[in-house]
Amino acid sequence: MQVLGLDVGGTGIKGTIVDVSTGELVTPRRRLPTPAGAEPAAVAATITQIVQHFNWHGPIGCGFPAVIKDGVAHTAANIAPSWVGTDGARLLGEATGHPVLLLNDADAAGIAEMRLGAGRGRNGLVIMITIGTGLGTTLFMDGRLVPNAELGHIEIRGKEAESRASDAVRTRKRLSWGSWAKRFDEYLCRLSALLWPDLFILGGGASRSYEKFAPRLTVGVEVVPAKLRTEAGMIGAALAAADAFPELLS
Ligand code: BGC
């Protein structure tokens, strides 16, 4: 039972074949740079290259950095504005010739972590944050996904949280892990005061350096690193597509 899992990010588009009964990667991942501007046709062409690289025939799950409802993108914070209103599932389905389930990238990562990683068996309110080009957020209440939470855009000190505390901002402003951690901690404290979660799971690129910043967090909520680290998005997208297209699994 295999599905091709894809994760579209601000700098790279990654793919791998996932065994959806175990969540294991069947192949090494393939990563291509996100085309400049991230226009729909260019992203579809890059994804088609990844599909051809794996000589893949079958269902595809794709995490995408936008609000996605029934395959249609509704926001475009770090991608081309022309995505808004685009039926991405249809576009990618036509480009690749295979059925595509499109979902928000943080939701995809959260699905994988809740089923197979750091959120396994956890009830109450779990908030996962993917720290990358943006701040992706996903909410699970008693294991059930509340899709398309866009908490990376709440305002802190007059700015969007992701433009103060994403990993892209840390690198662009050359912030030390200490100064970045202060900003990120303020963000966690704000989310905590608004939503009172039981657990924060931190994923995305910055989670590779979890040990460097975690000791500096003061938020009074349990915080753990994502177990599937930067692979969670691809794995979760594949798991979600397996649920969406059960009749196509082989
Ligand atoms: C987008 C989210 C996305 C996150 C991580 C944000 O800018 O609004 O939809 O999940 O970036 O890619």
Side-chain angles (χ1 to χ4, degrees):
M1 298 229 292
Q2 300 184 345
V3 172
L4 179 64
L6 299 168
D7 187 9
V8 177
T11 57
I13 302 183
K14 299 181 288 190
T16 186
I17 298 172
V18 178
D19 178 333
V20 289
S21 51
T22 61
E24 274 161 26
L25 307 196
V26 178
T27 54
R29 62 166 214 184
R30 174 80 168 168
R31 182 185 189 276
L32 295 177
T34 305
E39 291 288 344
V43 169
T46 303
I47 285 178
T48 305
Q49 279 181 45
I50 297 179
V51 172
Q52 285 167 353
H53 164 80
F54 289 110
N55 192 20
W56 178 250
H57 296 275
I60 298 172
C62 181
F64 195 79
V67 167
I68 303 291
K69 289 189 158 213
D70 294 327
V72 178
H74 288 265
T75 59
N78 294 309
I79 46 171
S82 53
W83 276 101
V84 176
T86 296
D87 187 334
R90 192 154 136 202
L91 172 76
L92 300 179
E94 283 170 4
T96 61
H98 301 292
V100 175
L101 176 80
L102 197 67
L103 74 168
N104 173 263
D105 55 353
D107 286 350
I111 289 169
E113 286 296 330
M114 293 304 288
R115 286 206 208 161
L116 306 163
R120 207 170 166 175
R122 296 296 300 248
N123 281 323
L125 179 62
V126 179
I127 302 183
M128 174 162 174
I129 304 170
T130 59
I131 313 162
T133 307
L135 286 177
T137 57
T138 182
L139 307 185
F140 288 81
M141 185 60 204
D142 290 338
R144 212 186 142 141
L145 171 67
V146 181
N148 290 312
E150 286 286 315
L151 300 171
H153 300 285
I154 64 166
E155 199 180 300
I156 296 193
R157 296 180 190 256
K159 275 193 165 182
E160 285 197 79
E162 77 170 19
S163 61
R164 285 183 46 79
S166 71
D167 199 40
V169 170
R170 183 186 62 78
T171 7
R172 195 173 343 114
K173 298 210 159 185
R174 299 195 182 153
L175 299 176
S176 65
W177 281 108
S179 349
W180 177 81
K182 260 195 200 155
R183 291 176 174 219
F184 189 70
D185 189 45
E186 185 178 20
Y187 174 57
L188 291 182
C189 290
R190 179 70 71 81
L191 287 185
S192 170
L194 292 171
L195 292 161
W196 290 86
D198 299 287
L199 175 69
F200 280 118
I201 302 176
L202 306 185
S207 67
R208 280 193 227 105
S209 307
Y210 184 78
E211 292 71 24
K212 294 191 185 138
F213 65 83
R216 300 170 196 256
L217 301 179
T218 68
V219 66
V221 174
E222 186 185 355
V223 182
V224 295
K227 274 207 180 127
L228 309 167
R229 303 273 164 137
T230 52
E231 282 161 0
M234 293 181 289
I235 298 171
L239 294 176
D243 291 347
F245 306 118
E247 71 287 359
L248 300 178
L249 295 181
S250 58

